[in-house]
Amino acid sequence: MRIALYAFDGITMFHLAAPLMVFGEVTRLGLAPDWETRVWSDEAGSIRTEEGFPVGDIAGPDTVAWADIVIVTSWPESLPPIGNGLSYALRNAHSRGAEIAGLCLGSFAIADTGLLGGRPAVTHWTKMTELRERNSHAGVDESVLYIDHGDVMTSAGTASSIDSYLHIVRKHLGSAAATRVARSLVVAPHRDGGQAQYIERPVIEASGDTAIADVLSWALERLDQPLPIERLADHARMSRRSFIRQFQFETGSTPARWVLDKRLNEARSLLETTDRSIDNIAALCGFGSAVTLRQNFRSAFAVTPTAYRRQFTVGCATTSTVDRQG
């Protein structure tokens, strides 16, 4: 397997180090001694990373003709359109059967080539709107870490590229090989491509000394209790209709949506920072039951509470305390 990694002046060291580490581990473990990885750019020579370090022995564009897989590991933050030379190289490689991947912001380069052909893509969650415009025929899928169409692959932001590289190992060498690489690198062996990115979902708050702002503060201290609209309106000393109208005006959300978002955010925090059971977290966050928490959590984040917690657990020793039905 011959893998070509595209690099450019200003790329972060992480985006170069991640694939070199994962694919290098394949050969170090003897899983596929004939795997070879080369870094290339628009011109042979050297590049300088965003951190200011020079990287030499960078190959030239002819590397693309050598490769079985061509990966655009990232892309400049300014999201420039792809140049004609790079676009031609990627499309030509694709036409002869090479797999093409654009990871993190590299998805923009892939979208510009037209290789997606009306299929959805994914990128870092902060750039979804821009990618939706660039990939206007099919848009984006915000609920996944990576999308592999077989011939073309895109991934979400930064660390999820490791999941993508492990997916490539799994795809070509099998699950056992990918698991060995992941264990050696001490990372999760398989975060599913259908698992939502860990996107911050801020909820707009009311500001100032208003009845709505007071209700928000009051409700935050009572997330474990029933908080129907009628109770919130009573606390604000408003009619139900007036309360809903004023709440939406000041927060941009409905009362029910705001309460659910706050409960989900609190649940995420407890999953990340405590070893409380799923039942206990459900009660503390006002979901009533673990089943209701799981349903709402999976709907919002496309992953179960237990699976979410695993990604924030340092080491494996604490997993025995986790509710395994999550």
Side-chain angles (χ1 to χ4, degrees), residues 205-217:
E205 306 289 5
S207 59
D209 185 17
T210 68
I212 299 300
D214 177 65
V215 167
L216 300 188
S217 297

Side-chain angles (χ1 to χ4, degrees), residues 252-274:
S253 177
T254 66
R257 180 75 252 178
W258 183 90
V259 170
L260 177 59
D261 284 341
K262 286 302 182 183
R263 284 175 167 158
L264 287 169
N265 285 341
E266 181 65 13
R268 290 205 303 178
S269 177
L270 291 172
L271 288 166
E272 294 170 17
T273 61
T274 76

Side-chain angles (χ1 to χ4, degrees), residues 76-90:
E77 282 282 339
S78 59
L79 306 179
I82 192 171
N84 291 334
L86 177 57
S87 180
Y88 174 80
L90 294 176

Side-chain angles (χ1 to χ4, degrees), residues 147-212:
I147 302 175
D148 186 357
H149 295 295
D151 58 329
V152 179
M153 179 178 180
T154 57
S155 89
T158 315
S160 63
S161 64
I162 295 176
D163 300 287
S164 305
Y165 297 130
L166 288 172
H167 169 74
I168 290 172
V169 174
R170 186 180 304 108
K171 178 178 177 180
H172 292 281
L173 297 177
S175 296
T179 298
R180 282 195 62 191
V181 172
R183 184 179 296 119
S184 179
L185 298 179
V186 197
V187 296
H190 189 193
R191 291 201 301 166
D192 192 347
Q195 180 180 358
Q197 297 188 54
Y198 297 141
I199 300 173
E200 293 294 332
R201 303 175 187 272
V203 180
I204 299 173
E205 306 289 5
S207 59
D209 185 17
T210 68
I212 299 300

Side-chain angles (χ1 to χ4, degrees), residues 54-241:
V55 179
D57 290 331
I58 302 294
D62 56 344
T63 304
V64 178
W66 160 87
D68 301 304
I69 302 176
V70 183
I71 302 175
V72 181
T73 58
S74 185
W75 199 242
E77 282 282 339
S78 59
L79 306 179
I82 192 171
N84 291 334
L86 177 57
S87 180
Y88 174 80
L90 294 176
R91 287 186 283 108
N92 189 53
H94 180 265
S95 67
R96 62 173 174 77
E99 296 176 28
I100 308 298
L103 307 188
C104 195
L105 298 186
S107 301
F108 284 86
I110 306 306
D112 285 351
T113 65
L115 291 177
L116 286 166
R119 297 173 293 185
V122 64
T123 190
H124 192 283
W125 64 271
T126 61
K127 303 296 185 181
M128 288 290 192
T129 298
E130 292 91 333
L131 183 60
R132 185 176 289 107
E133 295 171 355
R134 296 273 271 269
N135 192 37
S136 58
H137 294 298
V140 301
D141 186 344
E142 298 187 15
S143 67
V144 297
L145 292 177
Y146 56 82
I147 302 175
D148 186 357
H149 295 295
D151 58 329
V152 179
M153 179 178 180
T154 57
S155 89
T158 315
S160 63
S161 64
I162 295 176
D163 300 287
S164 305
Y165 297 130
L166 288 172
H167 169 74
I168 290 172
V169 174
R170 186 180 304 108
K171 178 178 177 180
H172 292 281
L173 297 177
S175 296
T179 298
R180 282 195 62 191
V181 172
R183 184 179 296 119
S184 179
L185 298 179
V186 197
V187 296
H190 189 193
R191 291 201 301 166
D192 192 347
Q195 180 180 358
Q197 297 188 54
Y198 297 141
I199 300 173
E200 293 294 332
R201 303 175 187 272
V203 180
I204 299 173
E205 306 289 5
S207 59
D209 185 17
T210 68
I212 299 300
D214 177 65
V215 167
L216 300 188
S217 297
W218 177 84
L220 282 174
E221 298 176 358
R222 295 165 175 80
L223 291 178
D224 60 327
Q225 303 175 17
L227 293 172
I229 293 175
E230 291 75 14
R231 188 180 181 194
L232 299 174
D234 285 345
H235 184 78
R237 295 183 175 84
M238 294 182 180
S239 69
R240 188 179 190 277
R241 178 177 296 180

